[in-house]
Amino acid sequence: IASACASGALARVDASSVVYKDECAYCFDSAYSAGGVYVNAQTLFGYSRKHVELDYSRTRCALYVHVKTTRAKKARAAEAENADATPSTLGFGVDGGFASEDDQYEITTVYSLVLAPAFDDTSRVLPIEGVPENLRALCEAVSATNGFHDAEETKAWQEIREVSKYSLDLVQEDNGKKIPSDPSKWRCEETGETGNLWVNLSDGHIGSGRKHFDGSGGNGSALRHYEAMKAQGKEYPLVVKLGTISAHGADVYSYAPDEDDMVEDPFVAQHLRHWGINMMSMEKTEKNMAELQIELNKGFEFDKITEAGSQLESAYGARLVGLKNMGNTCYLNSILQVLKQVPALTERYCANAASLFSSSPADAVADFPTQMAKVMNALVTDEYASPEAENAAVAVCPRMFKQLVGKGHAEFSTGRQQDAVEYFQHLLDVMTRAERANSARLSEGPPIAEQFGFAIEDKITCVESGNVRYSSRKENVLSLEVPVGKATNKASLDAYNDRQLKRQKMEQAGEDEEPVRPEVPFSACLDAFGEAEMIDDFYSSALERKSIASKSSRIKSMPNFLAVQLRRFYVGEDWTPKKLDVLVDVPQSVSLEHLRATGLQPGEVELPANVDGNNAPPAPAPAAVQPDMTIVSALMGMGFSENGSKRAALATNNASTEVSMEWVFAHMEDADFNDPLPDPSTATAPAQDEANPESVMMLTSMGFDAAAANAALKSCSGNLERAADWLFSHSDDLQSAIAAVNNAQSSNVDADTASAVNATFDGPGEYELFGIVSHMGGNTNCGHYVAHVKIDGKWYIFNDRKVALSQKPPTDLGYLYVFKRNDV
């Protein structure tokens, strides 16, 4: 111990330090596991007992802090008290929300010191008297510091409502109106309806709310009143749902275009008092918006997707390991459960896991191959496939994987709910970049994303001339529109809608009728994809003027695995996200050969290409950029010449003085640095897709030349981080990669598309369904995802940590369907 402390290598833990004491970097053993976690005293990374010796062989660290956590169930009285509590808040682990699993347990953690390489079981429980000061400080910091998985990240997610900026200075008219405290006397002032009523806090007008997702609710008169007042120059945006008013609060909505959401009004009691409403004496008579959304999760969609009401048989074993929900990570869990069925993925990351672990960098937590191997090994093997003593559900928690894949992303780095399809595509992108950068460590073969990659062939036909133009684009998801107008049960729908309209007019109460939903065949979705669409404002290079064209799409190559998205989500006329309540029964066997691309046919004449290689009218030459004289003056004040300062400003596109100064330092030795600028009239116009000069400068500062930087940025659509990865991943064949980008550009085809067309797999377009990702909720910003996966001929439901045999997969309610080509 003394020798290790004297070496000066012990970590110094401060507020910015991350202590990985929650789980092993290579597996899902945690402080709760039998062996606990061993934290390296130098690097602060944690390892399980089976992997700590691998870490020691690489770091030769002599000291580890052992972390062991145990939990015991709390008294049954407290458990029973909350067992049947109905959530009232859209939150997880918060008051009134869904219960957190840890809330049921008393947690105890013991820290002890362990010596390497023996890793003996001698108990050195901390604190230990007489140890050197630096070791004592380290041990105290490890025990006091939150682990990598901050409790707040998973224990508290809930719907956050912002305070309305209109609440502080809200205008309230003195028009003498008073609202009765008796709910039976409330009426919509426009229609006379008695439910879902909202009072405008500015003028006391009572109007009906908007329709709910299922068509019930109201007629929108409250919103129409706001719009009428706005037309008169009066901004009266805040409304309160009358039936939700109680001493505990009320639902407040802002119709203002810059808010248009549920909001908080800190002065709601004062504002309601203006209209004669005393919140303290009111009782809630209607469900608030949070309760309506929770009720949604108990309705038709939730019951059908989760197979509620069926006696599901729990399942566990290899490939049947669940994934714990970290608050809003069901989208991630569902995608991983489907992806683990792709053989190329498991062969690369699971079969090769030991090699990836031993070759991982010092920071294995930030290494994608390591973390993907960790996840795949847990999901595919039986290492975590035995039921836990205290819980029959077998599951692991992919917290490190989520943090790594979401790092730097505006949405996936947060704890908010996300779109599962967008995450699927983001994950494939992250995986591809990581595989290129770590090709020496991975098994041979194309990136895993190529298993899903295919090309779409777009055909544009000039209606007048008959000339055609073919182009290809890269895709990894076949996104299909749901043509609700092609529903096969139109008669039943019309009859149901007539009955609903009649009930509203006659204000009939009665029992709610089970909604009739449109039933659209999957073949209609495929037909809609293949249908031609008209382009009215098309410039025909054959006619040399604008005309009308038709555009149709076909599938150019059939991938090994096909991901099909049904576009159930859309933005309504009021700019709020919504979801189609429609049934599309997707068959388990699908043929797409009738949608295969054919390319240029005999007798077809191609549209002439313009000089710039496309069919758009020639664009006017852009105005010459002038140097920003503010930047020029600042640089000249530092002692640089006027010509050199102007060159710097132009080279950086007038970005800023700081960026221009960096350019000066990099180019002040250039032979033409102090030469006068060339005459703008003789200068060659820059290419429209010229890379951002500031991004080029950042890449050249890493040691790459300008040609490589420009090629990388072009290949990555200008994304600086991706461009840097591209450069490092192509370091072995950089010149050929640059040439490929430039050749693709000169052919009016981007490098990624060219690569996709040439490198994707292809075969007969006959597919078998094996994965379904379904969504419950009104839009992708809320709700819950569940996966159904076919394994060895049987369908299983993966509802986060719960895994069971599926009796009836929701083939008509899926959002993302994943197929395997029959010959794969």
Side-chain angles (χ1 to χ4, degrees):
I1 292 176
S3 174
C5 294
S7 68
L10 295 185
R12 295 184 180 181
V13 184
D14 55 30
S16 63
S17 301
V18 179
V19 180
Y20 295 87
K21 63 181 182 180
D22 303 290
E23 69 184 30
C24 175
Y26 297 129
C27 69
F28 285 97
D29 283 8
S30 68
Y32 289 98
S33 302
V37 168
Y38 296 79
V39 178
N40 185 306
Q42 296 176 0
T43 66
L44 301 181
F45 288 110
Y47 303 93
S48 65
R49 181 64 183 88
K50 60 192 170 195
H51 289 121
V52 68
E53 291 180 26
L54 170 62
D55 177 67
Y56 172 74
S57 69
R58 299 169 63 175
T59 65
R60 293 297 169 180
C61 176
L63 297 176
Y64 289 79
V65 177
H66 184 240
V67 186
K68 181 69 179 77
T69 301
T70 56
R71 61 182 184 178
K73 278 210 169 185
K74 294 180 180 178
R76 286 190 173 274
E79 183 180 339
E81 181 181 348
N82 295 318
D84 299 322
T86 299
S88 58
T89 300
L90 284 176
F92 179 85
V94 297
D95 290 341
F98 298 93
S100 167
E101 181 185 350
D102 285 346
D103 290 342
Q104 304 174 21
Y105 298 92
E106 295 287 353
I107 309 296
T108 303
T109 301
V110 175
Y111 296 86
S112 56
L113 198 61
V114 174
L115 305 183
F119 295 103
D120 57 62
D121 295 329
T122 303
S123 176
R124 302 180 183 86
V125 177
L126 300 176
I128 301 176
E129 297 294 333
V131 298
E133 176 60 23
N134 57 346
L135 179 58
R136 184 198 63 76
L138 169 71
C139 294
E140 287 184 358
V142 168
S143 61
T145 304
N146 281 330
F148 164 75
H149 176 52
D150 188 341
E152 293 304 313
E153 178 184 325
T154 58
K155 193 172 182 181
W157 66 267
Q158 75 181 114
E159 181 186 42
I160 303 299
R161 295 180 181 176
E162 301 293 338
V163 174
S164 172
K165 69 180 185 181
Y166 299 95
S167 60
L168 179 60
D169 299 315
L170 186 72
V171 175
Q172 291 195 286
E173 293 183 359
D174 290 321
N175 54 17
K177 181 181 287 189
K178 295 298 178 183
I179 297 174
S181 59
D182 183 359
S184 66
K185 297 180 180 179
W186 295 339
R187 294 285 187 280
C188 172
E189 296 182 23
E190 180 182 320
T191 65
E193 290 192 17
T194 57
N196 191 22
L197 299 178
W198 296 73
V199 58
N200 191 296
L201 291 178
S202 292
D203 62 6
H205 176 275
I206 297 178
S208 177
R210 289 179 280 199
K211 286 186 179 181
H212 298 150
F213 69 95
D214 59 356
S216 65
N219 55 54
S221 64
L223 174 60
R224 289 194 294 273
H225 174 75
Y226 162 75
E227 293 170 342
M229 293 298 100
K230 190 174 181 67
Q232 298 176 24
K234 299 178 180 179
E235 184 63 45
Y236 293 169
L238 299 187
V239 292
V240 171
K241 188 174 183 181
L242 285 171
T244 66
I245 301 173
S246 72
H248 302 291
D251 273 0
V252 184
Y253 196 93
S254 172
Y255 286 134
D258 56 346
E259 292 182 336
D260 196 19
D261 203 351
M262 300 297 299
V263 295
E264 291 288 343
D265 176 6
F267 314 104
V268 64
Q270 173 186 328
H271 291 155
L272 287 171
R273 194 179 303 116
H274 181 85
W275 304 111
I277 299 177
N278 181 1
M279 288 185 66
M280 300 307 295
S281 64
M282 297 294 292
E283 292 187 5
K284 190 163 75 74
T285 60
E286 292 187 65
K287 292 183 175 68
N288 59 35
M289 301 307 291
E291 290 168 333
L292 286 171
Q293 290 193 47
I294 292 169
E295 187 177 67
L296 167 67
N297 285 352
K298 298 180 179 179
F300 168 85
E301 193 177 56
F302 182 86
D303 289 346
K304 190 164 185 180
I305 290 175
T306 61
E307 303 183 55
S310 302
Q311 295 296 320
L312 298 181
E313 177 186 344
S314 294
Y316 59 88
R319 296 185 181 273
L320 300 175
V321 177
L323 289 166
K324 297 178 182 178
N325 193 320
M326 295 173 279
N328 267 328
T329 57
C330 51
Y331 65 93
L332 177 154
N333 294 348
S334 298
I335 293 299
L336 287 177
Q337 294 292 6
V338 173
L339 282 179
K340 75 172 188 292
Q341 292 304 112
V342 177
L345 179 67
T346 55
E347 288 169 10
R348 176 164 292 176
Y349 290 102
C350 183
N352 198 33
S355 173
L356 291 174
F357 294 158
S358 62
S359 63
S360 66
D363 186 356
V365 173
D367 180 55
F368 182 88
T370 297
Q371 294 308 312
M372 179 56 93
K374 172 180 173 178
V375 170
M376 286 298 111
N377 184 68
L379 294 183
V380 173
T381 70
D382 60 359
E383 185 172 351
Y384 295 94
S386 298
E388 300 168 346
E390 68 273 16
N391 195 320
V394 184
V396 295
C397 186
R399 53 175 71 106
M400 290 183 181
F401 185 84
K402 176 189 181 298
Q403 188 272 344
L404 175 61
V405 175
K407 185 177 182 180
H409 192 279
E411 286 297 325
F412 300 130
S413 61
T414 72
R416 295 189 290 267
Q417 182 62 285
Q418 303 297 337
D419 186 309
V421 173
E422 291 180 3
Y423 183 78
F424 168 72
Q425 294 178 305
H426 173 72
L427 174 57
L428 292 184
D429 186 41
V430 171
M431 194 185 316
T432 298
R433 285 186 276 140
E435 288 175 344
R436 286 174 176 166
N438 293 274
S439 57
R441 297 170 56 202
L442 298 169
S443 57
E444 293 184 359
I448 298 300
E450 292 298 323
Q451 298 287 330
F452 296 90
F454 60 98
I456 294 290
E457 180 184 85
D458 294 320
K459 175 184 178 182
I460 294 179
T461 305
C462 173
V463 174
E464 287 190 55
S465 67
N467 289 11
V468 298
R469 174 193 173 199
Y470 286 91
S471 62
S472 298
R473 52 189 165 93
K474 178 183 179 181
E475 298 289 352
N476 51 28
V477 171
L478 182 62
S479 184
L480 300 179
E481 173 194 355
V482 180
V484 180
K486 298 293 181 67
T488 57
N489 60 337
K490 281 187 178 181
S492 300
L493 277 171
D494 292 341
Y496 169 76
N497 291 331
D498 288 343
R499 291 193 297 272
Q500 290 296 97
L501 185 61
K502 194 175 295 183
R503 285 193 183 95
Q504 289 181 7
K505 287 182 177 179
M506 300 181 66
E507 298 185 7
Q508 293 179 346
E511 294 184 3
D512 291 337
E513 180 183 359
E514 179 70 25
V516 176
R517 295 167 172 82
E519 298 175 6
V520 179
F522 182 64
S523 57
C525 301
L526 292 175
D527 291 344
F529 167 79
E531 286 178 357
E533 60 176 304
M534 303 308 294
I535 306 173
D536 294 328
D537 198 25
F538 175 75
Y539 179 83
S540 171
S541 56
L543 304 174
E544 296 187 344
R545 59 177 170 83
K546 290 188 176 181
S547 181
I548 299 175
S550 66
K551 177 183 177 182
S552 59
S553 299
R554 292 292 184 270
I555 304 174
K556 194 170 184 178
S557 57
M558 302 290 176
N560 285 352
F561 294 87
L562 179 68
V564 177
Q565 174 197 25
L566 291 187
R567 297 204 295 267
R568 295 181 177 272
F569 302 103
Y570 66 101
V571 178
E573 294 180 359
D574 56 359
W575 292 97
T576 58
K578 297 183 178 180
K579 180 179 177 181
L580 289 175
D581 189 19
V582 59
L583 304 178
V584 181
D585 198 3
V586 176
Q588 299 205 23
S589 295
V590 172
S591 175
L592 300 178
E593 277 299 324
H594 66 290
L595 292 175
R596 185 179 285 276
T598 58
L600 188 68
Q601 295 296 292
E604 289 184 332
V605 179
E606 290 190 88
L607 282 162
N610 287 332
V611 176
D612 60 358
N614 59 44
N615 287 323
V625 179
Q626 298 297 323
D628 186 333
M629 294 311 296
T630 303
I631 296 176
V632 173
S633 298
L635 294 176
M636 290 176 64
M638 300 175 193
F640 301 110
S641 69
E642 179 179 359
N643 288 334
S645 300
K646 287 181 177 180
R647 285 180 177 274
L650 289 177
T652 59
N653 203 25
N654 294 321
S656 67
T657 301
E658 291 75 14
V659 173
S660 298
M661 184 171 62
E662 291 292 335
W663 187 93
V664 167
F665 290 143
H667 295 272
M668 58 190 304
E669 300 300 327
D670 293 355
D672 61 348
F673 179 76
N674 294 309
D675 293 347
L677 296 176
D679 185 350
S681 63
T682 62
T684 303
Q688 291 183 357
D689 59 347
E690 185 175 343
N692 185 313
E694 188 173 351
S695 298
V696 173
M697 184 182 300
M698 291 292 292
L699 295 175
T700 54
S701 68
M702 300 178 187
F704 299 101
D705 60 31
N710 275 292
L713 289 165
K714 289 172 187 174
S715 178
C716 301
S717 303
N719 185 292
L720 181 60
E721 182 182 354
R722 289 178 55 197
D725 286 342
W726 186 93
L727 286 167
F728 287 114
S729 64
H730 288 88
S731 57
D732 293 336
D733 60 341
L734 188 55
Q735 294 307 314
S736 60
I738 294 172
V741 171
N742 293 334
N743 291 338
Q745 184 186 20
S746 64
S747 303
N748 197 31
V749 179
D750 66 84
D752 280 346
T753 300
S755 173
V757 173
N758 295 326
T760 50
F761 298 96
D762 197 5
E766 310 294 331
Y767 287 91
E768 188 75 18
L769 179 67
F770 77 90
I772 307 171
V773 175
S774 308
H775 175 269
M776 298 162 284
N779 58 71
T780 54
N781 297 326
C782 62
H784 183 61
Y785 285 99
V786 169
H788 285 74
V789 184
K790 193 175 186 179
I791 301 173
D792 296 332
K794 296 180 181 179
W795 281 96
Y796 293 87
I797 178 174
F798 291 84
N799 187 359
D800 289 332
R801 66 179 297 141
K802 298 177 182 177
V803 183
L805 269 169
S806 172
Q807 294 186 5
K808 189 176 181 182
T811 55
D812 53 357
L813 282 171
Y815 175 45
L816 179 68
Y817 297 83
V818 186
F819 297 83
K820 179 176 74 69
R821 210 175 65 228
N822 290 349
D823 64 329
V824 173

